[in-house]
């Protein structure tokens, strides 16, 4: 048993550096590409020049415009994309493990719909929360997304217990209702219609470093906390009875994990809009490649999600440059065929 555990650990520590190297390459390519092309060497010299002490050893042989493009516009966007992608993939992995459903993703419980509804209200009515200012939209989106989860959980709670079937059905019902409310807002909006639709399709256009600074702590804390639940998620994947006899408090653990995944999702959606399929595709690819042990799935899904979304965003902003496509369109083109494959597979095999 210890030998198998050692082999799994060795495999994990082998693949994490490989995934990180791939992520750095994808980020480097993404920052370099655009209307104004900047070679990757200059890109990383600019980045390293911003690091305390390290920057003292870098010779500034680039133009001010290149530094503005890289450091103030592209790099914040790429970093935000990596954070959002990691968050959505992590949340998707947790949902799939807790709900024992390979078709589960961060939006299955209506968190995304709730956040989108909150964002639409801010855009249409021009709300400004006191003391929040320009962060009103992500703040309201986050609050609405989290409130949606609480409503779903209360609807699914029967005799102080929440079963998998009821929570998924409650999510579908609440999502349908919020979808109707969102459609009403769209019908009543005029000038803001295009802004709302573009936000709902997903975008990383919030390139200010301050948005990254708000989301990053939530995602990193959520990622660290999720690693402490790896054993519990593995037990839940074997069934409620097995998990209970293994000492796992099923109801409590499920509730905490759903809260954790939804907070991570809400934080990501609040700054990027509703970007679909990341949380569905990435964890499942990791599962197909490395097995069903969440000791592998969680950390590799985090890095894999960052790689996937940074790559997709690069395509979204360059394929029809200077015009930018909504990011959700690119992820849907990549994810929809894979979703169809999972749907057919689910007929024969239930996670």
């Amino acid at each position: 048993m210890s030998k198998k555990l050692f082999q799994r650990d060795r495999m994990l520590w082998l693949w994490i550096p490989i995934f990180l190297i791939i992520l750095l390459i994808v980020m480097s390519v993404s920052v370099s590409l655009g209307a104004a092309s900047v070679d990757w060497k200059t890109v990383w010299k600019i980045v390293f020049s911003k690091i305390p002490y390290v920057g003292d050893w870098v010779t500034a042989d680039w133009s001010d415009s290149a530094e503005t493009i890289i450091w103030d516009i592209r790099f914040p966007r790429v970093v935000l994309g990596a954070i959002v992608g990691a968050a959505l993939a992590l949340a998707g992995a947790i949902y799939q493990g807790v709900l024992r459903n390979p078709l589960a993703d961060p939006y299955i419980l209506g968190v995304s719909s709730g956040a989108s509804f909150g964002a639409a209200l801010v855009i249409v009515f021009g709300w400004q929360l006191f003391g929040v200012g320009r962060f009103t939209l992500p703040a309201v989106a986050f609050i609405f997304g989290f409130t949606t989860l609480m409503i779903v959980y209360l609807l699914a709670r029967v005799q102080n217990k929440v079963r998998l079937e009821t929570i998924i059905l409650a999510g579908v019902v609440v999502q349908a209702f919020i979808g109707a409310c969102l459609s009403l807002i769209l019908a009543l909006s005029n000038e803001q219609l295009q802004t709302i639709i573009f936000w709902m399709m997903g975008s990383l256009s919030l390139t200010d470093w301050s948005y990254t600074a708000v989301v990053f702590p939530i995602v990193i804390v959520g990622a660290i906390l999720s690693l402490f639940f790896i054993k519990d998620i593995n037990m839940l994947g074997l069934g409620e009875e097995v998990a209970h006899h293994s000492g796992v408090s099923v109801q409590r653990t499920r509730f905490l994990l759903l809260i954790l995944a939804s907070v991570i999702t809400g934080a990501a959606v609040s700054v990027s809009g509703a970007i679909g399929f990341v949380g569905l595709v990435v964890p499942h690819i990791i599962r197909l490649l490395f097995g069903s042990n969440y000791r592998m799935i969680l950390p590799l899904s985090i890095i894999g999600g960052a790689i996937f979304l940074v790559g997709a965003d690069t395509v979204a902003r360059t394929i029809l440059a200077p015009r930018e496509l909504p990011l959700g369109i690119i992820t849907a083109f990549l994810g929809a065929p894979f979703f169809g494959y999972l749907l057919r597979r689910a007929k024969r095999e239930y996670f």
Side-chain angles (χ1 to χ4, degrees), residues 85-333:
L88 294 177
L90 171 62
I94 294 174
Y95 279 125
Q96 289 173 16
V98 173
L99 301 178
R100 291 192 291 130
N101 188 337
L103 303 181
D105 71 354
Y107 307 134
I108 194 170
L109 299 185
V111 176
S112 173
S113 298
S116 297
F117 181 54
L121 291 175
V122 172
I123 294 171
V124 170
F125 296 109
W127 290 351
Q128 286 289 322
L129 296 181
F130 178 75
V132 178
R134 63 196 184 97
F135 292 104
T136 296
L137 191 149
V140 171
F142 179 84
I143 293 169
F144 270 69
F146 187 79
T147 302
T148 301
L149 173 71
M150 293 295 98
I151 294 172
V152 169
Y153 202 84
L154 288 174
L155 286 177
R157 194 174 180 86
V158 179
Q159 296 180 350
N160 293 325
K161 288 186 178 182
V162 177
R163 297 192 177 276
L164 295 179
E165 299 81 4
T166 54
I167 196 169
I168 293 175
L169 286 174
V172 171
V173 170
V174 172
Q175 198 167 17
F177 177 76
I178 294 178
C181 296
L182 191 55
S183 297
L184 177 62
I185 293 294
L186 290 173
L188 295 176
S189 61
N190 295 315
E191 299 176 359
Q192 305 92 344
L193 180 62
Q194 187 174 355
T195 303
I196 296 173
I197 292 176
F198 192 84
W199 193 91
M200 287 173 59
M201 289 182 178
S203 172
L204 295 176
S205 57
L206 296 177
T207 56
D208 195 318
W209 280 110
S210 56
Y211 288 95
T212 303
V214 169
V215 177
F216 179 73
I218 298 174
V219 175
I220 195 67
V221 170
I224 293 172
L225 290 176
S226 69
L227 298 178
F228 289 99
F229 285 96
I230 287 177
K231 182 180 177 181
D232 294 336
I233 300 176
N234 280 330
M235 290 296 103
L236 288 173
L238 297 175
E240 292 186 11
E241 291 187 8
V242 175
H244 177 73
H245 291 303
S246 299
V248 178
S249 177
V250 175
Q251 295 296 323
R252 175 176 163 274
T253 301
R254 180 184 292 154
F255 177 74
L256 291 176
L257 285 169
L258 290 176
I259 289 290
L260 180 62
S262 297
V263 167
I264 294 171
T265 300
V269 172
S270 69
V271 296
S272 67
I275 303 174
F277 291 102
V278 180
L280 170 68
V281 173
V282 175
H284 205 83
I285 290 177
I286 299 298
R287 185 179 290 106
L288 291 175
L289 293 175
F290 301 101
S292 59
N293 188 347
Y294 270 77
R295 191 180 182 86
M296 295 287 292
I297 291 175
L298 283 189
L300 294 183
S301 290
I302 292 170
I303 308 173
I307 295 170
F308 179 83
L309 199 61
V310 171
D313 182 58
T314 305
V315 174
R317 64 182 177 82
T318 59
I319 192 170
L320 293 179
R323 188 175 182 180
E324 179 181 329
L325 290 176
L327 183 52
I329 292 178
I330 304 300
T331 57
F333 269 122

Side-chain angles (χ1 to χ4, degrees), residues 33-97:
L33 295 178
S37 182
V38 182
D39 65 278
W40 67 269
K41 187 181 294 185
T42 302
V43 167
W44 288 106
K45 285 174 71 174
I46 294 173
V47 172
F48 283 129
S49 71
K50 301 297 181 179
I51 302 175
Y53 303 110
V54 176
D56 298 336
W57 298 87
V58 179
T59 303
D61 55 358
W62 54 83
S63 64
D64 292 340
S65 60
E67 182 169 340
T68 300
I69 290 170
I70 298 303
W71 187 252
D72 296 329
I73 300 176
R74 292 187 192 168
F75 200 64
R77 179 175 183 141
V78 169
V79 172
L80 184 64
I83 294 171
V84 171
L88 294 177
L90 171 62
I94 294 174
Y95 279 125
Q96 289 173 16

